[in-house]
Structures are given as structure tokens and as C-alpha cells.
């Protein structure tokens, strides 16, 4: 009899190699119920999580490919707020509920880096650079991220981000249609390279495009095989390694060129070099943080724009807020371009005088961030909601548990920035919570406001369906798409016409 791990490997590997396959649509809930009837399900002891009645290899594909459905159905099936299952030889514990969420987010033993290193797999894994990092190096990267978001540096970035955005938007032409889930992430990746890497890379459109293709390649090659068996030379793993090596080469070339030239830059790379950091820290900082631009911020921006276009009331509020910002705080001449006018608005005004945008960003993160927090218990045995979490176990918490909770957010799929903020602790985790919060949120918020403000000033636009008409149904995020949650290609487009400004 083959070991279960070998069976899992064979099944997943063959699925990757198959050029075509017959799609057998078995709903996850039905599959789980059938398997439930074939096995008994008991607690090993009173304080251990209930075990999902599935063989290890049957949990691999749904956890990675349809995670939202898998976890939701499993919680319903087990009838508990916490359960465990196996990914080959690894124990994974899923938690939910108010108490479980609190314990998960505040536990000192649960480590985010080890959790994502194993369960995510969608970042460039380079030992000593982006993975297998000692706590001291991780703390140093966090410190540098804080430095790149100080007042002076962010103020310098405002006109540069707007110039990049203006250039990208002008490349769209004076009128036409575009896919917000394609064009907007491309634009955001450009601004992320500008903000987190070097001017030399950001100024070279071909290099930026190549970098984005390589990060997309990392997404495409992140499969159950490449995550579960990183030592196995599967096609996905080989593709992942090649993409990582090419990303490394691009960033390393920029670092070495700057070092050898002796020319002082005025960008994030120079901040890192001036700090005297080891080159591996610099490379890890840039390679790792560009993932946020390649995925998280780009996803938020594209959905924020789609939501705005689908809600005329909020589009009018957002446009009025931007126009008031320019009228009250721009020092640029009246005949300047919109990008120039926005560039002269001070950082403080962007951060403190845009409550409409703040509310829209918050609500977009709630309804269009299909995130599952991942941790590993690196300390001694601990407990979550009275349930034992053994040392070495992986623990996951799906944000859908709180953000799509109809008790906290009535009609949870509805995008409504006017929702009152809940007073219940950890009832909103759009930027994380407890011991782990997004350290780059200041830059992310600023970038979102800059890009969307310029768009609203530059274009008359509206959302259209594939037929070219106003869509009957509002676009809904696909939470099984754990990276972008975007709708099927071609479902929605933005129809736009550029407004003429005095400078055109």
C-alpha cells in the first residue's frame, strides 16, 4: 500500500501535468458529507480540536484552490468554531468566532512568517533573503519600512506617484474601454516600484513590465505541489525558482549599479544603502514588499474603482471631496494639469481631510479582501478558545469569518462605506489586528487616494457589461480567488472619456 503522502503527490502532480481534464463538479459540501458518513469523528480529548473526517490528500486541493468554500463548508460540517485537518504530515487548525479571533490575533506564540512561508508559497522564496529569516533581520526590515514612510519621504513621493499615474492613464488614450482588474493593478505596480525600489527601475517601463510578469509567474506556479513539496522538482517548482532568480537578478543589478556608481539617489534604495544594511536585507526588503504592490494594493485599487463606478452616490461624494481638496489646498496655477494640482497638496491634507475616501477604502478592504491569516505555533503548547494548539501546528483564520458576518455587517456583500464602525474588539481586520498589523498601510492608503483622485478628475466614465451596456448586477468579489478575487475576465469594463484640462 502506498503511503498517503505519496498518493497525494501522485494525484496533485498528475493534475498539474494533464493538458486537459474532465471537470467533475462535486460541491465541496456534498463531498464532505459523503466522507463524513464513511468515518467516525470524535475528539481525541476534550481540549483538542475536532478532526475533519477527510484523508490528508483530499484536503490539499480545496485548501489551495477553493479555500473560502472549503473552510466555510468545513466549519458548517463540524458544527464547531475550531477544527483541524492534515496537509500531508502537517496539522492545520482553523479557528473562527469572536473569542477564537481574539486569541489568534493576540497570541505571542503564533508566528506569521513561518505560517506564510509554508502555507502561502506565493512570495519569492530565497533562503536568507525572503525566507528563513532570523527575528533580528525581520525586525530590521520592519524598521526600514517605517523609515520609508516618514513624512519627508512620503511628501517627496506624492508628485512622483502622480506623475507615474498620469503617464499610465495618458497611455489609455482619450476614450475607450479598459479592464479595471488588469489596467489598475498594472498602474499600482508601477507606483509600488517607484515607492519601494529605485528610480532606475521605475523609470524603465520595460523592466517594470518584466518584473510584473515575473511576479505573475510566481502566482501561476504556486500550486499545491510547489507549496507542499518544495523540494520536489515539479514543473511548478522549477518555474517558481526560475522566476525568483530573475527577480533577484533585476533587483541585485540595480543595487550593485548604484553602489558602484557612487551616485547618490533620492529614493527608497538610497535610504536602505545609507542605513548601511547588508545587501541581503536590501534585496529581501524590495523583493518581498513588491509583492504587496503586485497583489494587495492593486486588488484593492481595482475593486475600489469598480465599487465607486457602481455607486453613483458615492462617486459623486468622492469627486466632490477631491475637487474640494484641490480648491482648498492646491498651490498650483489654475491652468495646471490635474496631476500638477494634486501634487501641490500637502501630505497632511491627503491624510486628514479625505473622510469619504477613508470610508471607501475601509469598506473595500472588508468586502474585497479574501485573506486567510496564517500562523505557526513556534512556542510551547498554547490554547485558542480553550482548545489546545500543539507546538509546531499551523493555525489559520479566514477574514470572511468576521468581514462577512451578517450579525456584524447586515447584508455583508453590499458595499456600504456609511456602515457604522462596530465597537466589538477585532470586528474589523482590514489592516490586520492584535500583534500583526500592516506596517505599510500609510503608503498604501496614500497611493490609493492619489491614483483614484487623479482618475476621478481626469475622466468621465462608467461601468459597462460585456455587451457594452450598464450591468444589471453589481460585480461581486470571488473569495475563492485568494489573490485578486476578481470576476471572470470580460465581465465588466470601464468606458471612459478624458476630460480636457487647461494644460491639454
Amino acid at each position: 500500500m502506498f503511503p498517503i503522502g505519496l498518493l497525494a503527490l501522485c494525484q496533485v502532480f498528475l493534475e498539474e501535468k494533464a493538458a486537459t481534464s474532465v471537470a467533475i463538479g462535486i460541491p465541496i459540501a456534498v463531498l464532505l458529507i459523503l466522507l463524513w458518513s464513511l468515518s467516525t469523528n470524535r475528539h481525541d480529548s476534550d481540549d483538542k480540536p475536532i478532526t475533519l473526517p477527510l484523508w490528508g490528500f483530499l484536503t490539499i486541493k480545496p485548501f489551495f484552490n477553493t479555500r473560502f468554500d472549503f473552510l466555510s463548508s468545513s466549519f458548517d460540517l463540524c458544527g464547531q468554531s475550531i477544527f483541524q485537518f492534515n496537509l500531508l504530515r502537517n496539522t492545520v487548525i482553523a479557528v473562527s468566532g469572536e473569542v477564537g479571533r481574539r486569541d489568534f490575533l493576540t497570541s505571542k506564540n503564533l508566528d506569521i512568517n513561518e505560517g506564510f512561508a509554508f502555507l502561502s508559497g506565493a512570495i519569492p522564496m530565497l533562503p536568507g533573503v525572503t525566507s528563513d529569516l532570523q527575528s533580528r533581520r525581520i525586525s530590521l526590515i520592519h524598521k526600514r519600512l517605517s523609515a520609508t514612510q516618514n513624512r519627508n519621504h512620503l511628501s517627496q513621493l506624492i508628485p512622483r506617484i502622480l506623475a507615474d499615474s498620469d503617464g499610465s492613464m495618458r497611455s489609455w488614450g482619450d476614450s475607450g474601454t479598459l479592464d479595471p482588474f488588469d489596467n489598475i493593478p498594472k498602474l499600482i505596480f508601477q507606483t509600488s516600484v517607484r515607492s519601494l525600489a529605485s528610480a532606475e527601475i521605475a523609470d524603465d517601463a520595460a523592466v517594470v513590465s518584466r518584473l510584473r510578469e515575473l511576479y505573475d509567474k510566481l502566482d501561476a506556479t504556486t500550486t499545491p505541489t510547489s507549496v507542499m513539496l518544495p523540494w520536489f522538482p515539479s514543473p511548478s517548482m522549477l518555474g517558481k525558482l526560475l522566476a525568483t532568480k530573475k527577480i533577484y537578478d533585476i533587483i541585485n543589478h540595480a543595487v550593485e549599479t548604484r553602489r558602484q556608481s557612487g551616485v547618490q539617489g533620492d529614493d527608497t534604495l538610497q535610504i536602505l544603502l545609507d542605513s548601511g544594511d547588508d545587501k541581503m536585507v536590501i534585496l529581501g526588503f524590495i523583493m518581498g514588499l513588491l509583492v504587496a504592490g503586485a497583489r494587495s494594493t492593486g486588488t484593492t485599487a481595482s475593486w475600489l474603482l469598480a465599487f465607486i463606478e457602481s455607486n453613483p452616490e458615492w462617486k459623486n461624494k468622492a469627486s466632490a471631496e477631491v475637487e474640494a481638496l484641490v480648491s482648498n489646498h492646491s498651490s498650483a496655477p489654475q491652468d495646471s494639469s490635474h496631476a500638477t494640482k494634486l501634487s501641490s497638496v500637502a501630505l497632511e491634507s491627503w491624510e486628514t481631510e479625505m473622510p469619504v475616501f477613508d470610508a471607501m477604502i475601509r469598506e473595500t478592504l472588508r468586502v474585497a479582501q479574501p485573506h486567510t491569516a496564517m500562523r505557526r505555533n513556534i512556542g510551547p503548547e498554547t490554547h485558542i478558545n480553550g482548545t489546545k494548539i500543539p507546538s509546531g501546528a499551523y493555525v489559520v483564520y479566514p477574514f470572511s469569518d468576521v468581514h462577512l458576518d451578517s450579525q456584524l455587517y447586515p447584508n455583508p456583500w453590499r458595499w456600504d462605506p456609511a456602515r457604522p464602525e462596530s465597537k466589538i474588539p477585532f470586528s474589523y481586520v482590514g489592516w490586520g489586528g492584535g500583534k500583526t498589523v500592516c506596517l505599510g498601510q500609510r503608503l498604501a492608503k496614500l497611493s490609493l487616494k492619489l491614483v483614484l483622485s487623479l482618475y476621478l478628475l481626469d475622466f468621465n466614465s462608467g461601468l459597462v457589461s460585456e455587451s457594452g451596456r450598464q450591468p444589471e448586477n453589481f460585480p461581486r468579489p470571488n473569495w475563492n480567488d485568494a489573490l485578486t478575487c476578481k470576476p471572470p475576465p470580460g465581465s465588466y469594463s470601464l468606458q471612459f472619456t478624458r476630460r480636457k484640462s487647461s494644460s491639454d
Side-chain angles (χ1 to χ4, degrees):
M1 180 179 290
F2 289 97
I4 287 178
L6 183 55
L7 287 174
L9 168 61
C10 291
Q11 175 179 324
V12 177
F13 180 66
L14 288 174
E15 286 175 352
E16 287 186 10
K17 291 289 290 180
T20 59
S21 62
V22 179
I24 304 175
I26 304 177
I28 291 177
V30 175
L31 175 62
L32 294 178
I33 291 172
L34 288 175
L35 290 167
W36 177 275
S37 66
L38 298 176
S39 62
T40 56
N41 185 22
R42 300 189 305 266
H43 289 281
D44 295 325
S45 66
D46 290 340
D47 63 348
K48 284 188 177 181
I50 196 170
T51 300
L52 190 67
L54 284 175
W55 295 298
F57 70 92
L58 290 177
T59 63
I60 294 174
K61 188 173 181 180
F63 177 77
F64 288 102
N65 294 352
T66 53
R67 186 173 299 157
F68 172 69
D69 285 345
F70 170 71
L71 292 176
S72 298
S73 299
S74 297
F75 279 120
D76 290 342
L77 178 63
C78 292
Q80 303 286 333
S81 62
I82 184 168
F83 69 89
Q84 67 180 12
F85 61 98
N86 293 324
L87 291 178
L88 296 185
R89 295 183 177 181
N90 300 283
T91 298
V92 181
I93 299 172
V95 304
S96 66
E98 182 179 347
V99 177
R101 176 169 63 253
R102 179 204 63 200
D103 292 349
F104 175 89
L105 293 171
T106 58
S107 173
K108 297 179 180 180
N109 294 345
L110 301 185
D111 184 79
I112 185 175
N113 298 296
E114 290 211 16
F116 270 94
F118 173 67
L119 293 176
S120 174
I123 62 175
M125 288 298 177
L126 211 57
V129 179
T130 58
S131 64
D132 299 329
L133 301 179
Q134 296 179 348
S135 58
R136 179 181 175 276
R137 178 161 290 184
I138 294 172
S139 297
L140 187 58
I141 290 175
H142 291 173
K143 183 178 180 179
R144 298 295 174 253
L145 179 57
S146 178
T148 61
Q149 295 180 100
N150 65 40
R151 180 185 178 87
N152 290 338
H153 190 59
L154 286 183
S155 296
Q156 292 172 351
L157 279 176
I158 288 175
R160 299 169 190 176
I161 291 175
L162 284 165
D164 283 342
S165 301
D166 187 51
S168 294
M169 291 180 188
R170 289 186 182 278
S171 71
W172 300 344
D174 290 334
S175 64
T177 59
L178 60 87
D179 181 353
F181 300 100
D182 179 46
N183 292 74
I184 299 302
K186 286 180 180 178
L187 191 163
I188 292 293
F189 186 72
Q190 166 68 43
T191 63
S192 296
V193 172
R194 176 72 64 189
S195 303
L196 298 168
S198 71
E200 292 86 350
I201 296 178
D203 289 341
D204 192 326
V207 174
V208 173
S209 177
R210 180 59 178 150
L211 268 177
R212 186 170 187 271
E213 290 174 0
L214 290 170
Y215 277 100
D216 287 345
K217 182 71 172 178
L218 287 180
D219 290 347
T221 54
T222 298
T223 64
T225 297
S226 66
V227 175
M228 301 298 301
L229 304 170
W231 47 266
F232 185 80
S234 65
S236 59
M237 176 49 67
L238 295 176
K240 189 181 183 73
L241 289 174
L242 182 59
T244 298
K245 175 61 166 57
K246 291 180 178 179
I247 293 172
Y248 174 89
D249 288 342
I250 291 173
I251 306 300
N252 184 57
H253 175 73
V255 174
E256 285 302 314
T257 299
R258 178 73 64 83
R259 274 182 162 177
Q260 294 173 12
S261 70
V263 176
Q264 289 286 309
D266 185 18
D267 51 20
T268 293
L269 174 57
Q270 195 62 52
I271 292 176
L272 299 174
L273 289 171
D274 290 346
S275 298
D277 292 334
D278 179 88
K279 187 172 77 169
M280 293 300 102
V281 172
I282 297 174
L283 293 172
F285 178 96
I286 297 175
M287 290 177 66
L289 290 176
L290 282 182
V291 174
R295 300 184 184 93
S296 300
T297 309
T299 294
T300 303
S302 58
W303 274 107
L304 177 56
L305 182 54
F307 288 142
I308 290 174
E309 292 288 12
S310 301
N311 291 267
E313 176 188 358
W314 283 97
K315 183 176 182 180
N316 290 336
K317 289 182 179 180
S319 297
E321 186 168 79
V322 175
E323 290 168 359
L325 189 76
V326 170
S327 176
N328 296 332
H329 300 287
S330 176
S331 58
Q334 189 65 31
D335 60 351
S336 301
S337 68
H338 294 141
T340 301
K341 291 178 181 178
L342 292 172
S343 295
S344 67
V345 176
L347 173 65
E348 183 180 3
S349 297
W350 284 105
E351 293 188 322
T352 63
E353 298 191 29
M354 300 192 76
V356 171
F357 268 71
D358 288 331
M360 294 192 306
I361 291 171
R362 175 186 172 87
E363 180 71 347
T364 301
L365 289 174
R366 182 192 68 80
V367 78
Q369 187 184 65
H371 184 50
T372 298
M374 302 171 179
R375 308 283 191 269
R376 190 183 190 192
N377 183 18
I378 60 172
E381 187 178 275
T382 189
H383 287 78
I384 290 180
N385 195 11
T387 303
K388 184 184 298 183
I389 309 296
S391 179
Y394 293 92
V395 189
V396 299
Y397 175 76
F399 280 16
S400 57
D401 174 68
V402 60
H403 284 170
L404 299 182
D405 183 347
S406 59
Q407 298 298 313
L408 292 171
Y409 301 100
N411 193 3
W413 287 105
R414 180 170 177 261
W415 186 77
D416 180 13
R419 292 180 187 273
E421 296 185 17
S422 172
K423 302 299 182 182
I424 298 175
F426 306 118
S427 58
Y428 179 82
V429 291
W431 297 105
K435 290 179 72 278
T436 306
V437 296
C438 176
L439 299 177
Q441 61 179 284
R442 190 180 186 190
L443 173 60
K445 286 181 181 178
L446 177 64
S447 298
L448 291 169
K449 291 177 180 179
L450 293 171
V451 171
L452 270 298
S453 293
L454 181 60
Y455 177 89
L456 289 172
L457 290 178
D458 269 358
F459 297 104
N460 293 313
S461 56
L463 202 64
V464 295
S465 65
E466 194 171 10
S467 64
R469 300 178 180 178
Q470 185 174 355
E472 295 181 4
N473 299 316
F474 185 74
R476 176 166 163 170
N478 173 20
W479 278 56
N480 279 318
D481 179 354
L483 292 176
T484 64
C485 63
K486 60 186 179 182
S491 299
Y492 306 96
S493 298
L494 285 175
Q495 196 170 64
F496 67 91
T497 301
R498 176 177 290 277
R499 296 174 181 172
K500 294 295 182 180
S501 67
S502 302
S503 62
D504 289 336

